[in-house]
Amino acid sequence: MIRSELIQKIADENPHLYQRDVERIVNTIFDEITEAMARGDRVELRGFGAFSVKKRDARIGRNPRTGDSVTVEEKHVPFFKTGKLLRDRLNGK
């Protein structure tokens, strides 16, 4: 499901809300999650999962095309850990 499909589904299920308002709500939620992660905070949505940021140290990598060694800089990457309820639903429990 992409963002526009999510917005459309929420708007269809809530006919009392305008689609532009639903779009603003969804965008605000995603923006807040993004801003919290950019600050290094953890975002937990009970029953769904938790978003966090993990640090990857600098290392020496390898160019797969040429085989040459390359330096890969330190970076921060998003990480998602599923919640128990979501895991159970995916596994049919």
Side-chain angles (χ1 to χ4, degrees), residues 18 22-23 29 34 36 38 42 44 49 54-55 58 60 62 65-67 70 73 75 83 85-87 89:
Y18 292 113
V22 173
E23 185 173 354
I29 292 170
T34 303
R42 182 174 184 263
E44 183 177 337
K54 290 202 173 191
K55 178 183 164 200
I60 301 296
R62 189 180 66 82
R65 183 172 291 169
T66 63
V70 293
E73 296 180 0
K75 59 185 164 183
L85 182 63
L86 177 60
R87 229 180 358 259
R89 287 189 69 181

Side-chain angles (χ1 to χ4, degrees), residues 1 21 39-40 43 55 77:
M1 176 179 282
D21 293 336
R39 290 190 306 267
V43 178
K55 178 183 164 200
V77 294

Side-chain angles (χ1 to χ4, degrees), residues 17-76:
L17 296 174
Y18 292 113
Q19 183 163 348
R20 68 178 180 267
D21 293 336
V22 173
E23 185 173 354
R24 191 175 306 130
I25 292 166
V26 169
N27 288 337
T28 300
I29 292 170
F30 288 152
D31 290 344
E32 287 300 317
I33 290 172
T34 303
E35 288 174 19
M37 290 178 66
R39 290 190 306 267
D41 296 341
R42 182 174 184 263
V43 178
E44 183 177 337
L45 303 172
R46 294 286 167 128
F48 183 70
F51 297 92
S52 60
V53 178
K54 290 202 173 191
K55 178 183 164 200
R56 291 204 180 151
D57 293 328
R59 62 185 173 85
I60 301 296
R62 189 180 66 82
N63 182 334
R65 183 172 291 169
T66 63
D68 295 339
S69 293
V70 293
T71 303
V72 179
E73 296 180 0
E74 170 187 291
K75 59 185 164 183
H76 293 86

